[in-house]
Amino acid sequence: MKRRAGEREKKLKKKRLLEELGKNRLPYMTPVDADFHQLWKSKYSKLIFRKSDTVPEELHQMVQEGFLTLREHDCFFQDLVRNKGKDFFTPVSRILIGKPGRTYKYLNTRLFTVPWPTEGCEIKYCSPRIHDACKALIKLNDYLHIEAVKALQGQNLLDTKDTTVIDREQNFATSLIEKGSFSKDQSSCYVPEDDYTSLNNRTSYNLTLLNYMDPLQMPYLKQEPYFEMGNMAVSWHHDENLVERSTVAVYSYSCEGSSAEEATDWNLKGRDPAVWHVGLKVAWDIETPGLAIPLHQGDLYLMLDDLNMTHQHCVLAGFSPRFSSTHRVADCSRGTLEYIFGQCELALQNLQTDSNSTALSLKSLETAVIKQMEEIHNEVEFEWLRQFWFQGKRYLKCTDWWLKPMAKLEEFWRKMELMTSLVLQEVRKKEQTEEQRNETISCLLLVLTERQRLRNEWAARCQSEAAESLPEEQKPECHPFWTNEESNMPLPFDLEEVIVHLQN
């Protein structure tokens, strides 16, 4: 409900802004404008830009080879996302790489990390070159972490007013840089816990969302609506699902040799349409000019502190193909395997086996317990299993790492289906008081009605024209989990009759 309200609010804000503008368009500046740097300093100071020649050449080479390897192995995919009740393909193709068992959700789509090499975690990659590409991205991740720490220090944006603590944090960052050590476990220097947390929480990137697009292969790109900046690869937005006030770091690699680097008919008014740019504006503001900053091969930028909340950004397409690696401190409070397995264990605590037989029963029929159990049931089905299988076999292009945890989640889900069936059996008995029975039925009706609505919605998405247009390996999986083909399922997959029965 909150998400839908937020979408309606954004739509209204955009409509009001365009109405205020009428036929006019807002001004924006590029580096050729005299007041560009003054505007950046006064209104966009939390955007930090680093030209490619400040980045180690060895790192450029590793990362850029990694991008090309992933493209060569067809690891980038256009996501079939959902917004405002409609499905559409993203213009940009993506792959999520990061810590094992992490996910990242945007536009109602949960992406699952291709795990980067991690000590103590067995990961079988489909190719040694994919392993090397993921390893290169860890190196980039470590480098960007240090750059973010230095940038926060430079702007005095640490979460403390104690100057002695600031000094200790600066010494900590210096030590990291000198030792080439980027995480708490790897650092041999002693760092007070509070100091470490202050820096680390907002700069320790746990995943990167890689993007790729060749604009000349796109039949259509949206035009930027407020400033007339030209073709957009990514529309104006705030990045979602992040730890509050965390830094976002972006490394850009445009294959500039593949097309004309500059437009021959560019009239020097506004941005060069042949060159990729990042656009920035103050959110829902018609007074402050926007910025369009050119992105060349190997440039990077950081969005510090609350910039992602107070401002919006977009990506403006050039003529050449481009990769980017966008490193984030994703809010994983509800987006890790550890979390969802913990939820499953919590729900299954209410299931017990009779000591004298193999019969299963529920420990408690309290409404709060049943409600929690059924909500977790929905979470497992719609936030994890359906999200994963809707994306077809795409993850097998890199690794089969996710298959075992998904099988385990399916096993939990089947037990929760059984638990729902046991609740319904109890409701039919006369042992509960009428008040208890009515409470249980009311609780079940809410959850089961939502479950059936979402099952219908996902079934429609799987059979949509957009889903059918996907290559075979990317089409939603016709997995046994999706259907009612198995005769031993305790409940019909279509819950309409169950719901009608409860209502009566």
Side-chain angles (χ1 to χ4, degrees):
M1 292 299 291
K2 286 182 180 178
R3 180 179 289 275
R4 289 178 192 164
E7 288 173 357
R8 285 196 297 270
E9 185 182 357
K10 279 189 229 175
K11 192 174 180 180
L12 286 171
K13 283 181 177 179
K14 182 177 179 180
K15 184 180 177 183
R16 284 198 296 266
L17 186 57
L18 290 172
E19 284 174 351
E20 282 187 68
L21 286 175
K23 293 182 179 180
N24 299 318
R25 286 296 173 262
L26 295 171
Y28 73 95
M29 295 187 188
T30 70
V32 300
D33 294 297
D35 294 330
F36 172 80
H37 291 287
Q38 180 57 39
L39 175 66
W40 189 339
K41 183 179 179 181
S42 62
K43 298 295 184 180
Y44 299 92
S45 62
K46 293 179 182 179
L47 175 75
I48 304 297
F49 192 83
R50 298 277 190 265
K51 286 187 176 292
S52 61
D53 58 10
T54 66
V55 179
E57 185 57 38
E58 183 184 0
L59 184 59
H60 280 308
Q61 186 176 344
M62 289 174 59
V63 172
Q64 292 169 15
E65 284 180 5
F67 286 152
L68 297 173
T69 293
L70 292 169
R71 183 179 66 176
E72 182 184 323
H73 284 78
D74 297 322
C75 296
F76 288 92
F77 301 94
Q78 287 180 272
D79 293 321
L80 183 52
V81 297
R82 189 169 184 83
N83 194 25
K84 301 172 186 173
K86 294 180 181 178
D87 285 355
F88 60 93
F89 287 108
T90 57
V92 175
S93 298
R94 296 188 164 102
I95 179 175
L96 187 70
I97 296 177
K99 290 186 175 181
R102 299 297 198 274
T103 68
Y104 180 74
K105 193 173 181 188
Y106 82 108
L107 293 177
N108 300 295
T109 299
R110 184 177 300 281
L111 299 181
F112 298 77
T113 54
V114 172
W116 53 35
T118 304
E119 188 176 349
C121 183
E122 185 180 346
I123 304 161
K124 183 182 176 183
Y125 295 98
C126 296
S127 159
R129 294 180 64 203
I130 291 178
H131 167 275
D132 294 344
C134 292
K135 190 174 180 180
L137 289 160
I138 294 182
K139 298 285 188 185
L140 178 60
N141 200 67
D142 293 342
Y143 177 83
L144 293 172
H145 167 61
I146 287 180
E147 288 300 305
V149 170
K150 288 158 61 179
L152 285 170
Q153 292 170 338
Q155 296 210 355
N156 206 16
L157 293 173
L158 302 171
D159 281 338
T160 177
K161 294 180 181 178
D162 184 345
T163 56
T164 60
V165 171
I166 291 173
D167 289 341
R168 288 200 300 273
E169 287 175 326
Q170 288 172 338
N171 292 336
F172 168 47
T174 303
S175 175
L176 289 180
I177 296 159
E178 289 172 350
K179 293 175 182 290
S181 180
F182 310 112
S183 73
K184 184 180 179 183
D185 293 337
Q186 293 170 324
S187 177
S188 60
C189 61
Y190 169 72
V191 182
E193 189 69 27
D194 290 344
D195 299 7
Y196 176 83
T197 302
S198 175
L199 273 170
N200 224 43
N201 282 353
R202 293 189 289 156
T203 60
S204 289
Y205 307 116
N206 46 23
L207 51 81
T208 177
L209 184 61
L210 272 61
N211 306 289
Y212 172 74
M213 193 177 83
D214 183 351
L216 299 184
Q217 299 301 313
M218 301 301 298
Y220 169 76
L221 288 174
K222 282 185 180 179
Q223 294 297 298
E224 194 285 311
Y226 305 117
F227 303 89
E228 291 188 341
M229 289 178 173
N231 290 336
M232 292 192 300
V234 182
S235 301
W236 291 107
H237 67 288
H238 306 276
D239 285 335
E240 301 179 62
N241 196 26
L242 304 179
V243 168
E244 189 175 359
R245 301 175 82 95
S246 60
T247 298
V248 177
V250 181
Y251 177 88
S252 180
Y253 171 50
S254 48
C255 309
E256 292 168 353
S258 61
S259 65
E261 188 172 338
E262 295 185 358
T264 54
D265 59 349
W266 180 37
N267 60 9
L268 296 181
K269 290 182 180 178
R271 78 173 185 101
D272 180 352
V275 176
W276 285 80
H277 288 67
V278 58
L280 284 102
K281 70 183 182 72
V282 179
W284 315 116
D285 177 294
I286 63 170
E287 303 296 330
T288 307
L291 284 188
I293 302 171
L295 298 170
H296 295 291
Q297 198 174 76
D299 290 343
L300 65 88
Y301 59 92
L302 308 170
M303 293 187 287
L304 304 180
D305 196 50
D306 62 351
L307 183 73
N308 183 55
M309 297 184 283
T310 59
H311 294 60
Q312 291 173 302
H313 59 282
C314 70
V315 181
L316 303 159
F319 291 166
S320 58
R322 172 184 178 262
F323 298 90
S324 68
S325 185
T326 61
H327 297 249
R328 302 149 192 258
V329 188
D331 178 6
C332 290
S333 57
R334 298 172 67 90
T336 66
L337 277 177
E338 293 91 342
Y339 162 78
I340 198 60
F341 283 158
Q343 289 291 93
C344 291
E345 288 166 8
L346 182 62
L348 294 174
Q349 284 177 4
N350 199 37
L351 184 65
Q352 66 180 355
T353 305
D354 191 295
S355 56
N356 298 320
S357 69
T358 58
L360 295 170
S361 62
L362 299 175
K363 294 178 184 177
S364 171
L365 289 172
E366 289 184 23
T367 305
V369 175
I370 298 301
K371 181 173 183 290
Q372 181 186 60
M373 179 183 84
E374 296 299 341
E375 285 176 347
I376 292 172
H377 185 163
N378 280 2
E379 185 176 16
V380 170
E381 180 171 339
F382 302 111
E383 288 295 326
W384 288 82
L385 291 173
R386 286 184 175 271
Q387 290 276 1
F388 184 80
W389 291 115
F390 184 72
Q391 296 170 51
K393 297 183 176 75
R394 64 157 68 179
Y395 295 102
L396 294 178
K397 288 279 187 179
C398 297
T399 176
D400 62 358
W401 190 87
W402 278 96
L403 294 185
K404 283 185 180 179
M406 285 298 128
K408 188 174 179 180
L409 277 179
E410 284 182 32
E411 184 183 336
F412 287 146
W413 174 83
R414 291 178 194 283
K415 287 181 179 178
M416 286 184 241
E417 282 280 286
L418 174 61
M419 292 170 79
T420 303
S421 182
L422 291 173
V423 176
L424 290 168
Q425 289 175 26
E426 292 297 328
V427 166
R428 294 187 185 103
K429 295 177 182 178
K430 303 298 183 183
E431 295 173 9
Q432 284 187 308
T433 66
E434 186 175 351
E435 183 180 356
Q436 288 173 325
R437 186 172 178 276
N438 289 339
E439 276 187 15
T440 305
I441 288 173
S442 297
C443 167
L444 278 175
L445 273 174
L446 284 172
V447 183
L448 295 187
T449 301
E450 177 69 359
R451 188 174 302 164
Q452 187 58 39
R453 183 188 71 78
L454 289 170
R455 283 179 178 176
N456 290 338
E457 182 179 293
W458 278 98
R461 292 189 71 190
C462 290
Q463 297 162 15
S464 69
E465 187 176 338
E468 288 295 325
S469 73
L470 286 164
E472 202 59 38
E473 71 275 7
Q474 295 179 41
K475 286 182 179 178
E477 279 282 276
C478 292
H479 200 268
F481 156 77
W482 295 82
T483 66
N484 194 31
E485 292 174 2
E486 295 191 355
S487 59
N488 62 348
M489 290 290 288
L491 279 172
F493 210 67
D494 187 332
L495 295 168
E496 295 290 353
E497 289 185 16
V498 176
I499 291 169
V500 170
H501 177 77
L502 286 172
Q503 288 172 330
N504 295 329

